[in-house]
Amino acid sequence: TDARLSDPPAARYGADMVAVPVRVADAGVVGLLSPGSRVDVLAATGADEFGGPPSGAGPAVEVVGDRPVLAVPAEEGPSGEVGSLVVIAATSEEARTLAGHAISSRLSVTIRG
């Protein structure tokens, strides 16, 4: 199926790379991606320090840079999640950092040439 990945999916990008699912807040931008695209993943805080709405827009921070897209799984109906899923290759440390940002931030991507 389209959601299947080769074993191990990120091996061709280096022995230390793993496949990391990333939920991007803007589903429309994910439609511009395909396997082989290269992206930077950015995180923008979605709340103030007390959990309320943001008091002002601040700059997003780059979480990982210049990472290859492994897959863009098709969404199969409402998932209850905002945005769309993309799978990228990253190191295990970057995967942990991405997971942390996914809890408290909105993730977006910039597409590299």
Side-chain angles (χ1 to χ4, degrees), residues 41-55:
V41 180
L42 309 175
T45 303
D48 69 12
E49 62 186 289
F50 303 107
S55 57

Side-chain angles (χ1 to χ4, degrees), residues 13 17 20-24 26 29-42 61-72 85-90 94 98 107-113:
Y13 297 100
M17 302 297 262
V20 184
V22 176
R23 186 149 307 267
V24 176
D26 183 353
V29 77
V30 173
L32 301 173
L33 301 175
S34 61
S37 297
R38 301 207 55 108
V39 297
D40 300 328
V41 180
L42 309 175
V61 297
E62 183 178 289
V63 181
V64 297
D66 196 19
R67 291 292 174 238
V69 172
L70 300 178
V72 183
L85 194 63
V86 61
V87 181
I88 66 169
E94 290 169 335
L98 281 163
L107 299 179
S108 62
V109 296
T110 58
I111 305 167
R112 291 189 163 253

